[in-house]
Amino acid sequence: MESEKVREHDDYGTRDKDQCDDELEDITNLEEQIEMIKLREMEMVKTIQMKIQLKEMKENERLREERKRIQTLRKQRSELEQSLFDKKTIISQFDNEERLREERKRIQTLMKQRSELEQSLFDKETIISQFDNQTTRKQYHNVNKEEAKDSVDNNHKMFMIKPNIPKFSDPNQFNEWKVEIESILESNIYHKEILRQAIRNAISGKPRKVLTTLRPTATSEEILQTLESNYGDIKSGEKLMEEYYNAQQEKDEDISAWGIRLEEIIQKAINRGEIQTCRKERMLKTRFWKHLRNVEWNNATRLFFESSITFEELKTKLRREELEMKVNKEPEIKKQIHVQQFDPHIKLLDELKERIKSMEEKLNSLSEERQRPPMVAETGNRCYNRGQSYRGFRNNSTFRGRGG
């Protein structure tokens, strides 16, 4: 029993040792697993942190893009607001210009009505004065008869005077003729019927066919309108402005012609409503001076251009410069003309000299031939005739051959 107990005790000791070893191995394994788990946990933490940083970076970039987009939208909004403001200002300007045009038209119509009323009043006053004069004549037949006749004759002369209107036969001169007629109409000196008939009589040639399209009772304004539609300037306002901005002095165009052409273009643009009258002087002055064909004129009149002189004064200054340059160039032109005139005479003299030289050479050769001895000439001729046939030189030679 004791031995068995000892054996059992030994068995338990061995078993405890084995269990302790197993437990130690388990503990080490667990510690290794724990360390592995900690490492994995650390890696997971790092990955999570990296993902969080990436998210933050993406969010920051998205925020930046959003800010940029917001800034661009704000700029676009400001630009759109500015464009709307500009358009509103332009529309307001156009509205103001249209109002001004309507006001001008209304003023023109009122002026026409006033002139017509004044004309009708004048006609009625003349008729009343005629009737009064007739009654006064009947009542006072023997008193101041001659003075009454003189007053009536003077009234008739003022009332029935005929205007001197230039003829219109060339359609290219319609603008000049129209200006003359408009000035006569604005003066209100002549009677309407007489002026209308005078305008009809002044139209001749091809433009007279226009009168066949009008009524016999057409007024002067209607005649001018029909002529304007047929022979007037049909260029648009934009075309006139383009012509103004492309205008420059031509090669054979003098200062006065260049200024008149430019003034005509600007006046047409003003009539079409493209340019305001207050800008006319400045536009004329700048375009006229900057686009001269001669740079010397620009250099000579720069001070006058930059000063506050008018366009007409600048034009007179340039005309003086042009005249001075012509006067300085006249002697050079005269020299060139004299040289050109003497050139053919010099050629003739050279030709005559050459002919004289050739004649002198011929005379010298003839004189040498005459001075030779006759024997030498005969022998030379004989030798020459022997070498040639008789038939070949039968008519050309002066000597006879055999049996000649």
Side-chain angles (χ1 to χ4, degrees):
M1 288 293 287
E2 286 178 0
S3 63
E4 287 177 0
K5 288 181 182 179
V6 170
R7 285 178 186 173
E8 287 176 0
H9 182 72
D10 292 331
D11 292 330
Y12 284 118
T14 54
R15 287 178 185 173
D16 293 330
K17 285 181 181 180
D18 292 328
Q19 287 179 357
C20 288
D21 292 328
D22 293 329
E23 287 175 359
L24 287 169
E25 286 177 1
D26 293 330
I27 288 163
T28 54
N29 289 324
L30 287 169
E31 287 176 354
E32 287 176 358
Q33 288 178 1
I34 288 162
E35 287 177 357
M36 290 292 289
I37 289 164
K38 285 181 180 179
L39 289 170
R40 285 179 185 175
E41 188 178 0
M42 291 291 288
E43 288 176 357
M44 291 293 288
V45 169
K46 286 181 181 179
T47 53
I48 288 162
Q49 287 177 355
M50 289 290 289
K51 286 180 180 179
I52 289 164
Q53 287 178 358
L54 287 170
K55 282 183 181 180
E56 288 177 355
M57 290 286 287
K58 287 180 180 179
E59 285 179 358
N60 289 325
E61 287 178 358
R62 189 171 59 79
L63 287 169
R64 287 175 187 172
E65 289 176 356
E66 287 290 329
R67 285 173 185 172
K68 287 181 181 178
R69 192 166 63 81
I70 289 162
Q71 287 178 357
T72 53
L73 289 169
R74 283 177 181 173
K75 286 181 181 179
Q76 288 177 359
R77 189 182 69 181
S78 63
E79 288 175 357
L80 287 169
E81 288 175 355
Q82 187 66 33
S83 64
L84 286 169
F85 180 75
D86 294 334
K87 287 177 181 178
K88 284 179 181 178
T89 53
I90 291 163
I91 290 163
S92 64
Q93 288 178 0
F94 276 115
D95 292 332
N96 291 325
E97 287 179 358
E98 286 178 356
R99 286 175 186 173
L100 287 170
R101 286 176 188 172
E102 289 175 357
E103 288 291 329
R104 285 174 186 169
K105 287 180 181 178
R106 192 168 63 80
I107 290 163
Q108 287 178 358
T109 52
L110 290 171
M111 290 288 286
K112 286 180 181 178
Q113 289 177 1
R114 190 185 71 179
S115 63
E116 289 174 357
L117 289 170
E118 287 176 355
Q119 188 68 34
S120 65
L121 284 169
F122 180 74
D123 296 339
K124 288 176 182 178
E125 285 176 358
T126 52
I127 292 163
I128 290 163
S129 64
Q130 287 177 6
F131 279 115
D132 291 333
N133 289 323
Q134 288 177 3
T135 54
T136 51
R137 274 192 218 165
K138 289 178 181 178
Q139 291 176 0
Y140 305 100
H141 186 267
N142 295 322
V143 180
N144 296 325
K145 188 176 181 180
E146 294 179 357
E147 292 178 0
K149 283 183 180 179
D150 293 332
S151 65
V152 172
D153 291 333
N154 288 325
N155 287 326
H156 277 289
K157 282 178 183 177
M158 289 176 68
F159 182 66
M160 300 297 288
I161 191 168
K162 186 178 179 182
N164 187 11
I165 295 172
K167 292 287 183 181
F168 173 56
S169 58
D170 188 6
N172 294 323
Q173 296 179 354
F174 173 71
N175 291 323
E176 292 83 357
W177 185 78
K178 180 187 171 186
V179 170
E180 188 70 24
I181 299 300
E182 285 178 348
S183 65
I184 292 169
L185 287 169
E186 289 292 330
S187 64
N188 288 326
I189 298 169
Y190 306 103
H191 191 270
K192 284 189 173 181
E193 296 298 326
I194 295 167
L195 184 59
R196 180 175 66 83
Q197 193 61 39
I199 290 167
R200 280 178 170 272
N201 293 331
I203 299 167
S204 62
K206 288 183 180 179
R208 194 166 180 80
K209 291 181 181 179
V210 177
L211 298 176
T212 58
T213 62
L214 294 168
R215 295 179 291 105
T217 59
T219 60
S220 302
E221 288 80 5
E222 290 176 353
I223 294 167
L224 279 176
Q225 284 177 1
T226 52
L227 290 170
E228 178 73 28
S229 63
N230 287 305
Y231 303 111
D233 194 4
I234 57 172
K235 291 179 183 177
S236 62
E238 295 177 355
K239 190 70 176 175
L240 288 169
M241 293 305 295
E242 183 181 356
E243 188 177 354
Y244 165 75
Y245 287 116
N246 292 326
Q248 57 185 357
Q249 190 181 11
E250 295 177 357
K251 187 176 180 181
D252 298 328
E253 192 176 27
D254 58 357
I255 295 294
S256 60
W258 162 233
I260 290 164
R261 183 162 67 88
L262 194 62
E263 280 185 295
E264 188 178 358
I265 293 166
I266 289 176
Q267 189 60 45
K268 287 178 182 178
I270 288 167
N271 293 332
R272 295 289 169 85
E274 293 291 330
I275 300 171
Q276 295 177 357
T277 53
C278 60
R279 295 174 59 196
K280 178 181 177 181
E281 185 70 21
R282 187 64 185 169
M283 289 177 74
L284 274 172
K285 193 175 172 182
T286 52
R287 194 76 193 177
F288 176 75
W289 184 80
K290 287 183 179 179
H291 293 277
L292 294 167
R293 70 169 185 270
N294 197 344
V295 181
E296 293 179 1
W297 294 344
N298 294 99
N299 295 327
T301 58
R302 186 178 292 277
L303 291 172
F304 299 112
F305 171 72
E306 291 175 355
S307 63
S308 61
I309 63 171
T310 60
F311 169 69
E312 297 295 332
E313 291 174 350
L314 181 63
K315 189 163 65 174
T316 53
K317 298 285 185 185
L318 282 163
R319 285 184 66 199
R320 285 174 189 168
E321 291 292 331
E322 185 183 19
L323 183 63
E324 287 177 1
M325 288 184 71
K326 283 182 181 178
V327 170
N328 293 326
K329 285 182 180 180
E330 276 181 0
E332 295 178 359
I333 293 165
K334 286 181 180 178
K335 286 180 183 178
Q336 290 177 1
I337 291 165
H338 286 301
V339 170
Q340 289 176 0
Q341 287 177 356
F342 282 118
D343 281 340
H345 297 293
I346 291 165
K347 287 180 182 178
L348 287 171
L349 286 171
D350 293 333
E351 289 177 358
L352 288 170
K353 284 180 182 179
E354 288 178 357
R355 287 181 183 178
I356 289 164
K357 283 182 182 179
S358 63
M359 291 293 288
E360 285 178 353
E361 289 176 357
K362 286 180 182 179
L363 287 170
N364 290 326
S365 63
L366 287 169
S367 63
E368 286 176 358
E369 287 178 358
R370 285 182 182 179
Q371 287 176 2
R372 285 179 187 175
M375 290 298 290
V376 174
E378 287 177 1
T379 54
N381 289 324
R382 282 176 186 175
C383 293
Y384 180 77
N385 287 325
R386 282 177 187 176
Q388 300 292 335
S389 65
Y390 170 73
R391 291 178 182 177
F393 290 91
R394 187 174 176 181
N395 296 322
N396 294 328
S397 64
T398 56
F399 299 98
R400 294 181 179 181
R402 293 177 186 179

